[in-house]
Amino acid sequence: MLKIEVDDREVLSALAQLQRRAADLRPAMRDIAQALESETEGNFQHERGPGGGWPALKPATARERRRQGYGGTSPILQRGGALARSIVSAYDKTSAEVGTNQSTPGGRYSLGAIHQFGAPRRNIPPRPFLPVSDTGQIQPGTQATILEILQSHLEGP
């Protein structure tokens, strides 16, 4: 067996620095959480999700919106704006997350889950706003951003 020992102060210093950075990824997770929240806000603004654009409002829904004074062309999922305003992110030293705790009037159901995954019984199609698909795939642009953030934090200043 061949054994090589490295006695290079620069390499050892760089390895020690990398080990310190990897021990507490809180700064990277903070940036990732912010990126997830920003991407989610962009999905609301552009009416899209990981699979592309959201299905258009049904004509009856558009008519009902106009009747209620919201306008038939107001942004999808933003009639009153509560769901979009409820988006929050969180992080710790090993994870980053984005989500909502917004519920339907009366609090029986998660408004976010209804729109993220759809509600077939109520004839509501899925309009995923979180930057992750129902199979757990991260939205392509978001994935690139996360990889850039991780690379940047591992390389350091």
Side-chain angles (χ1 to χ4, degrees), residues 24-138:
D24 183 8
L25 293 174
R26 196 176 313 271
M29 293 300 142
R30 178 197 60 231
D31 291 351
I32 291 170
Q34 290 171 346
L36 292 171
E37 189 170 339
S38 177
E39 190 68 33
T40 301
E41 290 168 357
N43 286 346
F44 274 102
Q45 182 180 2
H46 300 291
E47 298 182 351
R48 63 164 164 74
W54 294 336
L57 292 175
K58 293 184 171 107
T61 303
R63 281 192 303 275
E64 181 62 17
R65 279 182 159 203
R66 280 191 297 277
R67 188 186 71 72
Q68 294 176 345
Y70 293 107
T73 60
S74 63
I76 296 173
L77 298 188
Q78 294 190 61
R79 182 179 62 193
L83 181 59
R85 284 191 311 272
S86 74
I87 301 302
V88 294
S89 61
Y91 65 93
D92 60 25
K93 70 179 187 175
T94 61
S95 66
E97 59 186 51
V98 65
T100 176
N101 63 357
Q102 187 69 31
S103 59
T104 57
R108 291 186 58 198
Y109 303 101
S110 165
L111 189 60
I114 287 172
H115 292 297
Q116 181 76 19
F117 302 110
R121 287 191 208 163
R122 299 196 60 211
N123 204 20
I124 298 173
R127 291 186 175 99
F129 53 90
L130 297 171
V132 62
S133 72
D134 57 353
T135 61
Q137 298 299 308
I138 298 172

